[in-house]
Amino acid sequence: MHSTGSEDLAGKLITMPGETARDCLDVPRVPTPDGVKKFRNFTQSEPQKMRVFYGKADDPNTATKITHGVVTSSSNKAADLVSPSPKTLFQQRLDDRTEEGLYASKKKAPLGRSHNQQSGFPAGVDPNTAVFGTKNVFEHTAGELVSPPKTYHCVMAEDQQGKDLYKVIHNDFEVGESVDRKYDWNRYPKNSAFGIETPHDNDGKHVAKSLTWLRNNDLNKGTKVVSKRVDDFRERTQPQLGTVHDPIKDTMTVPSDHAFGVLLRPDEYGAGDLIHGRGAGGYLRGKDRQRGLLAAVRQQLKKANYHNFNNLQAAFKHYDKNGDGRIDKAELHNCCIQFNLPVESELLEQLIDYCDERKEGAIDYAEFANFLNWKDKMVQNPGPTEAADPAKNGTPERLAKQIDGAVGQHRTSSSGINAVVGGGMTSKDFRTYGTPTIRSDLPAPRIKRISDIKNYGDESDAYGLINPSIYSNRGVHEKDFFQPRDPEQIRTIFQNIGTGMDNDTFQKLWQVAAERGQGNVSVETFRSVLDEIQAEKIAGMV
């Protein structure tokens, strides 16, 4: 078949753009979202690409731009140092002259030649023939010098020859030998020693102390510097003093003061309320602040009543302004202001509510006495106008105790002794054993030794230690009140506390106090005389 170069193909050629096999296989890819790229670059990263954690995908790539270290300038290369370029003779001489000009030692003693010392020789001295010094005379060998063929006494005798002159020219003294300065030793012996002997010890501890440098001691005593990484690891893995060992505290995501568990609501009552069987309205738990304030007010009222009134009836009359036998809130508030006791109205209501057992809104005489608990100077049978609730038969109420009673009403065997006046069991004829704790049978020494631990009755008891008086806070003790004093001291003490009197009145009071104290007058004796005179004046006014 003859071919003309252009062959006709059978069939019909249809050209439709976009419908070819290439176009069908070339499907455009849907772009991957940025959020998915983060996870795919971390889990299925492409070849030759760095895997980046998806949490740091959006962070700026500053690590590739950071250069660490210091940029150094270029120095001589190793090839130039091993095989330097050749220098000309002129260049070498120039370098040598420069080096010789820098170092003076090279001028005097050049490398490879000895030092020329002829410039310092005397005139006419030939360095090749002249010799200096004295010629050695070898009379003995070294063995004879070390071990001479002589006895010990002979060697020591030769050693002492010329020793005095050798001491003068060489200061070669023996250990502890004094220098002979040609003094006159007629008054003092020559072998006398002056000063204090230097402390020494045969075990060598002073030598060891002198060989130890002070800097080494300071380093041992100072704080040792350790790496923070080592210190953190030690704190995490080893128990520390005063802290709980918690190796996993760094992994906890809670604050240090976090408490685990469920917070339970506390009960309204405490252990004391359960033991004493208090009711729902009488629980004392959670009322510590209220009880503390009431105790402070009670103490201040006690002090005010003690210093201003002779008995409890006079104090109650002063509080009861209208004379109805009751103290209301307004009357109590006025008295507190008069005694310089700042009390809020809320606290006054709590105080009246605490004292008012009948819930009448006022305090009667029995409730007033129970609150102050002042039984030493209280009148046993108050009148009808002075009692809290005057009964028709005139019998006053019995004061209630300020503390809880014994649980179960139990009693000890010691409580039965002298429990009833005129009856019961008495311990008068009982035999006593041992040595009494308080030696009141012995006279107290005037100056007590430190080793003397006996109690002669002049020391405070347990009650005095738990409840000290207001004077002990000022450094004044009980013995200071009963110590005999002269008239000038007594007069000065009472004038300093504001009790002024003329000379005649003081002399009369001093004579009365001296008669009671058998010639000795103390602060307590003088005060009792003043109290009696003041009581007589108040009784005469009434």
Side-chain angles (χ1 to χ4, degrees):
M1 183 177 179
H2 179 73
S3 175
T4 60
S6 59
E7 299 176 355
D8 295 333
L9 302 179
K12 187 179 180 181
L13 180 60
I14 301 175
T15 303
M16 298 179 63
E19 297 295 334
T20 62
R22 182 181 181 85
D23 296 335
C24 294
L25 295 177
D26 189 7
V27 179
R29 300 182 58 183
V30 179
T32 306
D34 296 337
V36 180
K37 282 184 179 180
K38 296 179 182 179
F39 295 90
R40 183 166 296 176
N41 291 336
F42 178 68
T43 57
Q44 301 176 3
S45 61
E46 297 181 3
Q48 297 183 358
K49 286 194 177 182
M50 183 175 59
R51 179 177 295 183
V52 181
F53 182 67
Y54 56 85
K56 298 182 178 180
D58 297 334
D59 295 344
N61 189 10
T62 58
T64 57
K65 301 178 182 179
I66 296 177
T67 303
H68 300 276
V70 181
V71 179
T72 57
S73 60
S74 59
S75 59
N76 298 330
K77 298 181 180 180
D80 297 337
L81 297 176
V82 174
S83 180
S85 59
K87 296 182 180 179
T88 61
L89 181 59
F90 175 79
Q91 185 69 27
Q92 183 65 33
R93 294 291 179 85
L94 185 62
D95 294 342
D96 295 341
R97 183 176 298 181
T98 304
E99 293 178 0
E100 290 179 359
L102 294 176
Y103 300 98
S105 61
K106 195 168 184 178
K107 295 180 181 180
K108 296 181 179 179
L111 186 62
R113 289 184 294 176
S114 62
H115 180 42
N116 187 10
Q117 301 178 357
Q118 294 182 5
S119 60
F121 285 174
V125 176
D126 187 4
N128 297 323
T129 59
V131 292
F132 299 93
T134 304
K135 186 178 182 180
N136 295 330
V137 178
F138 297 98
E139 297 181 355
H140 304 282
T141 61
E144 293 177 353
L145 294 176
V146 175
S147 299
K150 299 177 183 179
T151 61
Y152 173 78
H153 298 286
C154 184
V155 173
M156 296 302 297
E158 292 180 358
D159 181 65
Q160 294 299 325
Q161 295 178 3
K163 185 69 175 179
D164 296 337
L165 181 60
Y166 194 75
K167 291 179 181 179
V168 174
I169 61 178
H170 289 82
N171 293 328
D172 185 19
F173 297 94
E174 300 292 341
V175 178
E177 182 181 1
S178 60
V179 181
D180 188 6
R181 294 184 172 87
K182 308 302 180 180
Y183 292 159
D184 185 9
W185 299 102
N186 295 330
R187 298 179 60 185
Y188 299 100
K190 186 177 181 180
N191 57 354
S192 61
F194 301 92
I196 302 175
E197 183 181 1
T198 304
H200 66 281
D201 203 319
N202 294 330
D203 58 359
K205 62 182 182 180
H206 297 292
V207 178
K209 185 177 180 180
S210 61
L211 294 177
T212 304
W213 288 23
L214 182 61
R215 180 175 178 273
N216 296 338
N217 292 335
D218 295 341
L219 292 177
N220 295 333
K221 295 179 182 179
T223 305
K224 296 182 179 179
V225 179
V226 297
S227 174
K228 185 177 184 301
R229 182 178 180 182
V230 176
D231 188 64
D232 294 342
F233 177 78
R234 186 181 303 168
E235 182 179 357
R236 185 172 62 255
T237 57
Q238 297 181 4
Q240 302 295 324
L241 183 63
T243 58
V244 180
H245 186 203
D246 189 5
I248 61 173
K249 65 178 181 180
D250 295 337
T251 62
M252 305 299 291
T253 58
V254 295
S256 58
D257 56 348
H258 179 75
F260 296 92
V262 180
L263 181 62
L264 299 178
R265 182 180 179 183
D267 298 328
E268 298 179 357
Y269 48 84
D273 301 329
L274 295 177
I275 293 175
H276 294 283
R278 299 189 182 96
Y283 294 150
L284 298 181
R285 181 173 181 176
K287 300 180 181 179
D288 296 337
R289 182 178 181 275
Q290 177 183 357
R291 297 176 64 188
L293 292 174
L294 294 177
V297 174
R298 175 188 295 176
Q299 183 67 20
Q300 294 296 329
L301 291 178
K302 280 185 179 181
K303 292 180 181 179
N305 294 341
Y306 178 79
H307 291 290
N308 296 280
F309 307 105
N310 293 329
N311 49 37
L312 196 58
Q313 290 181 355
F316 187 80
K317 285 182 178 181
H318 181 78
Y319 282 85
D320 187 12
K321 300 296 183 180
N322 53 9
D324 59 348
R326 298 178 183 275
I327 302 175
D328 55 7
K329 178 181 177 181
E331 294 173 344
L332 184 60
H333 184 264
N334 294 332
C335 293
C336 291
I337 294 176
Q338 183 180 359
F339 294 142
N340 296 325
L341 182 60
V343 179
E344 301 176 355
S345 60
E346 181 180 357
L347 183 59
L348 286 177
E349 293 178 0
Q350 295 178 1
L351 181 62
I352 294 177
D353 183 70
Y354 178 80
C355 300
D356 187 14
E357 296 181 357
R358 298 186 179 91
K359 305 302 178 183
E360 298 176 351
I363 306 174
D364 56 10
Y365 178 75
E367 294 169 347
F368 179 75
N370 281 332
F371 177 69
L372 294 181
N373 196 15
W374 191 12
K375 300 182 180 180
D376 296 336
K377 296 184 179 181
M378 187 185 65
V379 179
Q380 300 296 331
N381 294 320
T385 60
E386 300 161 354
D389 188 10
K392 296 181 179 181
N393 51 7
T395 303
E397 293 186 8
R398 183 177 180 181
L399 299 180
K401 292 185 177 181
Q402 299 293 324
I403 59 176
D404 295 325
V407 179
Q409 302 299 328
H410 66 275
R411 299 178 63 186
T412 59
S413 58
S414 60
S415 61
I417 302 176
N418 293 333
V420 182
V421 179
M425 183 171 52
T426 177
S427 60
K428 181 178 181 181
D429 298 330
F430 286 5
R431 179 182 176 183
T432 57
Y433 297 89
T435 305
T437 305
I438 301 176
R439 300 304 304 272
S440 57
D441 55 329
L442 299 178
R446 184 176 181 182
I447 300 177
K448 191 174 181 180
R449 300 189 302 271
I450 298 178
S451 59
D452 190 0
I453 59 175
K454 295 185 182 66
N455 185 3
Y456 296 95
D458 55 349
E459 298 180 4
S460 178
D461 53 1
Y463 180 81
L465 295 176
I466 298 175
N467 301 306
S469 62
I470 59 177
Y471 308 104
S472 61
N473 297 330
R474 302 291 183 179
V476 181
H477 303 283
E478 185 178 0
K479 62 181 181 181
D480 298 330
F481 290 95
F482 296 93
Q483 182 180 359
R485 302 179 185 273
D486 54 12
E488 292 297 330
Q489 291 182 352
I490 296 294
R491 187 168 187 173
T492 303
I493 291 173
F494 280 88
Q495 285 180 354
N496 292 335
I497 64 176
T499 305
M501 63 189 73
D502 54 4
N503 191 20
D504 296 339
T505 305
F506 178 78
Q507 293 298 333
K508 293 180 182 179
L509 296 176
W510 176 268
Q511 292 178 1
V512 176
E515 292 176 359
R516 295 185 180 183
Q518 298 179 359
N520 297 326
V521 179
S522 61
V523 176
E524 183 65 23
T525 306
F526 198 84
R527 186 191 66 82
S528 61
V529 174
L530 284 177
D531 291 345
E532 291 181 0
I533 294 177
Q534 184 180 6
E536 291 177 358
K537 290 183 179 180
I538 295 175
M541 294 174 60
V542 175

